[in-house]
Amino acid sequence: MSTPLDSIATVLEETGDYRVLRRLAPLEPLAVPPDEPTFIGLVVDTETTGTDFGRDEVIELGILKFEYGASGRIYRILDSFNQLHQPSRPIPPEITRLTGITDAEVAGRRIDDAAVAALARDAAVVIAHNASFDRQMCEGRWPVFADRNWACSCHQVPWRDEGHEGLKLGYLLIDHGYFHHGHRAIDDCHALLRLLSLPLRASGRLALACLLETARRPTVRLWAQGSPIETKDLLKARRYRWSGRRRCWYVDLDEERIEIERSFLSEQVFRRPLLDLPSDRITARDRFSARTNPEA
């Protein structure tokens, strides 16, 4: 944006009657070299023919490879990757309306699997804004993603505690005064990386630092195996979810809450001492994977 237009935008904002959105620009490298240990991260986004992991296919893959520090500072973008792929069946009209990707655009295109594997091989973490979706779409096609650590910028950053109402990438960018061309893979990657480089509204912590701290923390999936059917509303109110595959209610918890939850189940659900309930320890290596999907 030119200096005169910047000045106009500033004048409008200072009145308190206007909010101005600025077009998001790709993240610029930091002017100073790293003064801390650094690591390699990936921001990944997929566009797909639908949401059925067994049937639908990736039609566009976007990846930004970046260098970040132990503090959560993002130093520079190392590589950018964006390719289209022709699926085995026509792209549904609703997907074309959402993404703008047409059958003609993907005709004869194929994502370079070897290039994807090379990009991901040295990544300490892979980040997506809906990792439970993107990870399962990616690891079925590119095995390199199956043994990476994953983090979800949508659900592993406390956006609402930081003063945001919506969790969608576009909403979060608007709250920070930006807009971007969404629903294309590489554009969403640039938007997400920029968002992660910014300080959070309330705490002032870097968004990436907060995300990494949460992602590194193991969680426990506790199964309320054999719970009485009449307690289902009680379990739902406590944010338990139903696994159709295991025919059982479950909840994901931080490790320090496991004994509190066992006490709740013993006193209010089973109404008897519990000698043992099944539980699974989940880390970033498995979280959001098909391996830990209770419906898979």
Side-chain angles (χ1 to χ4, degrees):
M1 186 179 287
S2 65
T3 300
L5 292 179
D6 274 332
S7 299
I8 293 170
T10 300
V11 169
L12 287 172
E13 289 173 327
E14 287 177 348
T15 67
D17 294 325
Y18 298 91
R19 291 185 63 199
V20 179
L21 298 181
R22 292 165 171 82
R23 184 185 297 277
L24 187 80
L27 187 71
E28 295 290 334
L30 289 186
V32 296
D35 58 355
E36 59 180 333
T38 62
F39 308 90
I40 302 300
L42 300 183
V43 166
V44 170
D45 186 67
T46 60
E47 301 299 340
T48 66
T49 57
T51 59
D52 185 326
F53 301 120
R55 180 179 183 275
D56 287 307
E57 302 169 67
V58 175
I59 55 175
E60 185 176 41
L61 176 66
I63 301 174
L64 286 181
K65 189 171 189 174
F66 65 98
E67 180 185 29
Y68 69 95
S71 66
R73 283 178 292 177
I74 298 173
Y75 287 96
R76 58 190 175 124
I77 294 174
L78 300 170
D79 207 345
S80 176
F81 177 94
N82 195 80
Q83 289 186 356
L84 294 165
H85 183 84
Q86 182 178 1
S88 58
R89 53 178 64 88
I91 299 173
E94 61 271 18
I95 298 299
T96 295
R97 284 194 296 270
L98 179 67
T99 65
I101 301 174
T102 65
D103 287 318
E105 192 174 1
V106 299
R109 302 288 190 94
R110 180 173 176 82
I111 295 171
D112 185 340
D113 296 341
V116 173
L119 274 172
R121 194 170 291 123
D122 59 350
V125 65
V126 180
I127 301 169
H129 200 61
N130 184 7
S132 61
F133 177 78
D134 288 294
R135 176 165 194 172
Q136 292 186 66
M137 292 303 301
C138 285
E139 66 182 10
R141 167 80 184 270
W142 300 285
V144 67
F145 287 116
D147 61 359
R148 300 296 90 189
N149 295 314
W150 280 72
C152 180
S153 54
C154 182
H155 299 293
Q156 291 186 300
V157 177
W159 297 114
R160 289 196 171 93
D161 292 344
E162 295 286 342
H164 301 274
E165 294 184 5
L167 301 183
K168 289 185 176 181
L169 183 58
Y171 296 161
L172 294 170
L173 287 174
I174 288 171
D175 284 347
H176 283 88
Y178 295 104
F179 71 94
H180 83 302
H181 176 68
H183 297 301
R184 291 304 298 261
I186 199 62
D187 296 319
D188 283 348
C189 288
H190 279 291
L192 178 53
L193 192 64
R194 184 65 177 274
L195 185 66
L196 292 173
S197 74
L198 299 173
L200 295 171
R201 270 180 158 187
S203 67
R205 297 183 63 200
L206 290 173
L208 179 60
C210 185
L211 172 61
L212 294 175
E213 180 183 298
T214 305
R216 292 188 188 109
R217 195 161 53 236
T219 53
V220 175
R221 177 166 294 165
L222 184 61
W223 298 90
Q225 185 170 289
S227 59
I229 191 170
E230 61 269 18
T231 63
K232 66 180 180 66
D233 291 335
L234 181 63
L235 292 168
K236 288 169 67 176
R238 202 163 170 97
R239 298 188 178 179
Y240 278 70
R241 301 177 67 181
W242 176 255
S243 168
R245 179 170 59 88
R246 288 185 57 160
R247 308 295 296 172
C248 184
W249 292 96
Y250 71 95
V251 67
D252 291 335
L253 306 161
D254 289 336
E255 284 188 307
E256 61 267 21
R257 288 192 51 84
I258 188 69
E259 291 309 317
I260 296 173
E261 201 61 27
R262 288 185 192 276
S263 296
F264 159 77
L265 291 171
S266 176
E267 295 168 9
Q268 299 193 44
V269 175
F270 292 89
R271 298 187 179 278
R272 59 176 173 80
L274 295 173
L275 299 178
D276 190 27
L277 281 176
S279 62
D280 305 313
R281 190 173 186 268
I282 300 173
T283 68
R285 187 59 57 94
D286 296 308
R287 193 176 293 121
F288 311 118
S289 170
R291 295 189 299 274
T292 57
N293 182 350
E295 299 303 325

